Amino acid sequence: MHGRRPSPLPPPRKRLGQHFLTDRRALERIADAVDPQPGETIIEIGPGRGALTDLLVDRAERLVAIEVDTLLVPVLRARYAASPHVRIVEGDVLDLSLPALAEGAWALVGNVPYYITTPIIFQALRSPRPSRMVFLVQREVAERVAAPPGSDAYGALSANVQALARAELVARVPAGAFHPRPKVDSAILRLTPRPDPVVTPEEEAPFSRLVQGAFGQRRKQMRRVVRALYDLGGEGAEALLGACGIEATARPETLGPEAFARLLRAAGALPR
């Protein structure tokens, strides 16, 4: 049994991008998707008023909830005062070391503010990574992250995330499931780190720069993209692409993360 809910609750704060999920079925889908395991710490980003936390507190052996809203922190601490395995951390998730909070195996879950979705995803993908990540995000972002090569939604975000994790769109969540109601629909996105990431930690930053540069020219053929990125002539560009098994006429939007990784390594071997 949780602590008594303080009343009244502070109103949603627009500057923090607060939209509280109130739909019970969607909350249960999120809790099921993160699927707490024995020995794991579950880290929740943005517990808000505790709707998802209420479901996780009975499933997790240890739960750490990170809340940036100084008005909600005391509400949450009072609410879970009788649950010693629950810790409420006040702070901005982007300023914190998530693995340090977990102190062992961990999984990550959260209703992520739209305006910082991408930075939070990439922070979570830093090593050491969690076992699973489940985010409630803007539907368009979830579709982009999970999009396969060659699809309209596939882009730099897709390739960068999929180089490190398997992405699944678990369920769509309509705007009416929130209070206050956002202007767009959301989706539950689950990321599972790959046992075979296509780049090493040292390669992640140059890989990201390559992918961003290539998708800045997504409609051009790779021979032109490579010429521009590496200041090569036509023959040099064709030779580089041939060395990593990429068709010169292919376009960035058709290449999977593995192809970009091969290009990164082949380009790294070019004479300076």
Side-chain angles (χ1 to χ4, degrees):
M1 184 174 180
H2 310 311
R4 182 180 299 172
R5 182 196 299 265
S7 181
L9 290 167
R13 300 172 74 180
K14 186 174 181 180
R15 72 175 183 83
L16 296 177
Q18 289 178 337
H19 297 278
F20 299 119
L21 180 63
T22 57
D23 182 87
R24 176 76 182 191
R25 184 169 180 271
L27 289 162
E28 289 178 346
R29 292 291 296 270
I30 297 171
D32 289 344
V34 74
D35 189 23
Q37 297 296 303
E40 280 186 333
T41 296
I42 303 301
I43 296 181
E44 182 187 5
I45 300 171
R49 295 174 174 178
L52 176 60
T53 318
D54 280 353
L55 298 181
L56 296 173
V57 73
D58 294 326
R59 302 190 189 196
E61 288 188 9
R62 184 167 182 261
L63 177 61
V64 178
I66 303 168
E67 180 55 59
V68 72
D69 188 341
T70 56
L71 299 180
L72 282 173
V73 168
V75 173
L76 292 164
R77 286 180 174 158
R79 185 176 181 85
Y80 302 109
S83 301
H85 66 298
V86 178
R87 177 185 174 194
I88 307 300
V89 175
E90 180 179 340
D92 186 331
V93 64
L94 295 176
D95 295 333
L96 298 171
S97 168
L98 300 180
L101 290 174
E103 300 174 359
W106 60 296
L108 183 65
V109 63
N111 177 5
V112 180
Y114 294 160
Y115 70 99
I116 54 169
T117 296
T118 301
I120 286 177
I121 288 175
F122 283 108
Q123 182 198 29
L125 285 170
R126 294 177 192 157
S127 295
R129 300 183 182 101
S131 302
R132 295 167 308 290
M133 293 156 271
V134 179
F135 298 116
L136 184 62
V137 299
Q138 186 175 340
R139 176 177 169 179
E140 179 187 357
V141 173
E143 290 173 343
R144 284 167 53 205
V145 169
S151 64
D152 289 342
Y154 183 75
L157 178 61
S158 323
N160 276 311
V161 172
Q162 292 172 28
L164 303 174
R166 180 166 59 92
E168 305 166 77
L169 200 161
V170 175
R172 293 174 174 83
V173 180
F178 296 84
H179 173 75
R181 182 187 180 112
K183 295 180 180 178
V184 295
D185 289 341
S186 298
I188 302 168
L189 175 70
R190 179 166 53 204
L191 302 177
T192 306
R194 296 175 59 147
D196 60 340
V198 304
V199 290
T200 66
E202 295 75 24
E203 291 173 326
E204 288 176 21
F207 178 86
S208 180
R209 290 193 294 269
L210 166 59
V211 169
Q212 296 284 14
F215 277 96
Q217 308 172 68
R218 65 178 293 144
R219 302 299 182 189
K220 294 182 180 178
Q221 294 183 351
M222 284 302 296
R223 63 161 60 93
R224 293 187 62 187
V225 172
V226 165
R227 289 183 67 174
L229 290 179
Y230 296 110
D231 194 24
L232 296 173
E235 288 186 6
E238 300 248 359
L240 175 59
L241 291 167
C244 50
I246 297 174
E247 293 288 339
T249 56
R251 302 180 194 278
E253 59 197 2
T254 67
L255 301 182
E258 293 82 0
F260 284 112
R262 294 196 303 271
L263 177 57
L264 176 70
R265 292 170 187 139
L270 289 173
R272 299 294 179 183

